[in-house]
Amino acid sequence: MSGQSLLVPGELSPTRSVPGSIRRPEYVGKPAPTPYTGPEVQDSDTIERMRIAGRIAAQAMEEAAKHIAPGVTTDELDRVAHEYMCDHGAYPSTLGYRGFPKSLCASVNEVICHGIPDSTVLRDGDIVNLDVTAYIGGVHGDNNATYLCGDVDEESRLLVERTRESLNRAIKAVKPGRQINIIGRVIESYAKRFGYGVVRDFTGHGINSSFHSGLIVPHYDSPHHTTVIQPGMTFTIEPMLTLGTHEYDMWDDGWTVVTKDRKRTAQFEHTLVVTETGADILTLP
């Protein structure tokens, strides 16, 4: 594995502004969102609006990823995605969600998820996950991907490649009538072939007009998550695989989650809608 030194928190830049003409999610300015009480199955109009939100999120993530290079700060990646979403009439869903201060999550190397963009400078050999969610038309679209920065060691490259493959396999397993734990069963069985850890405490989730609806999509084989998949359901799948343990520590910022053994981790995510025969990806650029 890469011999990079471990990450430490950087300095935050001032909060970025969003034009007043852009509609905010209801939780902005509040300590927590209002609990979602609606259905997990969405109507066709909601799904089409989610497709728009998902496309903007995917394009914003792609735009930010173009700037990944040694010497670039994670705050600069946040700026690029923020401006892209605002320029396309979307609100960055993470900005102000439960107090999160930035417009995307940037999780480098041993950071599992929820890394806060700051003055941290990317180094040659790093891997960095960008997690971008856009809110427009009253709905959210959520996606993430892990990218290579410069010359990355083979062990890390394989982790990234196989984590992407675990998501692809999980999406193919989504069928109406199956229990939602089929998703985690597929991911965990694939990850075990390579001795990877599968993060348990951070999961996929229902998404629609609510950023997190309450539906939980575990990435491990859980006998307790037996919700039956139905056409029209919208949720994310976002496996987090590690080179070591699935256990974690959290930084004092209350957001940044790192592997307990500080080994590297990768993640990929799409927002999906269940069709009559499988799943349709809503977060395509």
Side-chain angles (χ1 to χ4, degrees):
M1 192 183 78
S2 169
Q4 300 279 49
S5 58
L6 297 178
L7 293 167
V8 295
E11 294 183 10
L12 288 181
S13 64
T15 302
R16 304 190 197 282
S17 62
V18 177
S21 59
I22 293 177
R23 178 178 172 184
R24 272 77 169 151
E26 59 83 23
Y27 52 74
V28 174
K30 296 165 53 178
T34 302
Y36 178 71
T37 56
E40 297 296 345
V41 172
Q42 305 304 310
D43 60 30
S44 59
D45 174 66
T46 301
I47 292 165
E48 289 313 304
R49 286 184 283 123
M50 288 183 67
R51 199 181 301 278
I52 293 168
R55 183 170 63 245
I56 292 173
Q59 290 170 337
M61 185 174 73
E62 274 198 346
E63 197 62 34
K66 292 176 184 176
H67 295 259
I68 292 174
V72 175
T73 65
T74 54
D75 185 67
E76 173 64 9
L77 305 179
D78 181 78
R79 181 194 66 78
V80 172
H82 176 93
E83 291 182 359
Y84 187 96
M85 285 184 273
C86 291
D87 288 348
H88 289 79
Y91 185 92
S93 300
T94 60
L95 184 61
Y97 179 78
R98 295 184 181 271
F100 191 84
K102 292 296 174 182
S103 299
L104 58 69
C105 299
S107 302
V108 181
N109 296 344
E110 69 269 21
V111 179
I112 294 172
C113 58
H114 304 158
I116 301 174
D118 59 18
S119 62
T120 296
V121 175
L122 296 178
R123 303 159 297 182
D124 186 56
D126 283 343
I127 60 174
V128 55
N129 177 273
L130 301 182
D131 192 335
V132 180
T133 310
Y135 178 80
I136 188 171
V139 295
H140 301 269
D142 185 3
N143 69 161
N144 77 55
T146 303
Y147 299 92
L148 310 180
C149 180
D151 185 17
V152 175
D153 68 273
E154 184 67 9
E155 186 179 36
S156 299
R157 284 176 177 271
L158 285 172
L159 173 68
V160 171
E161 179 183 308
R162 290 164 176 166
T163 305
R164 181 191 290 112
E165 175 63 16
S166 77
L167 173 59
N168 293 340
R169 289 176 180 233
I171 292 171
K172 290 176 183 174
V174 174
K175 307 283 184 188
R178 289 180 170 178
Q179 292 181 347
I180 209 155
N181 56 16
I182 185 66
I183 293 167
R185 191 171 307 131
V186 166
I187 292 168
E188 187 171 46
S189 64
Y190 179 70
K192 278 184 173 178
R193 288 166 49 180
F194 310 105
Y196 294 155
V198 181
V199 173
R200 291 170 166 250
D201 288 1
F202 300 91
T203 68
H205 53 89
I207 183 170
N208 37 66
S209 60
S210 172
F211 195 170
H212 299 87
S213 72
L215 176 69
I216 295 172
V217 183
H219 302 123
Y220 63 97
D221 188 1
S222 168
H224 307 295
H225 292 84
T226 56
T227 300
V228 175
I229 298 170
Q230 302 175 60
M233 289 177 75
T234 50
F235 52 81
T236 72
I237 303 176
E238 45 188 302
M240 291 150 264
L241 305 187
T242 72
L243 289 176
T245 182
H246 69 269
E247 296 181 345
Y248 65 92
D249 294 320
M250 186 175 287
W251 283 3
D252 291 342
D253 61 24
W255 284 104
T256 307
V257 179
V258 296
T259 54
K260 187 171 279 292
D261 56 14
R262 302 305 190 263
K263 291 186 177 180
R264 287 188 168 188
T265 175
Q267 182 184 18
F268 285 83
E269 173 186 24
H270 276 305
T271 295
L272 313 170
V273 59
V274 181
T275 67
E276 295 294 337
T277 57
D280 187 15
I281 297 173
L282 298 178
T283 38
L284 291 175

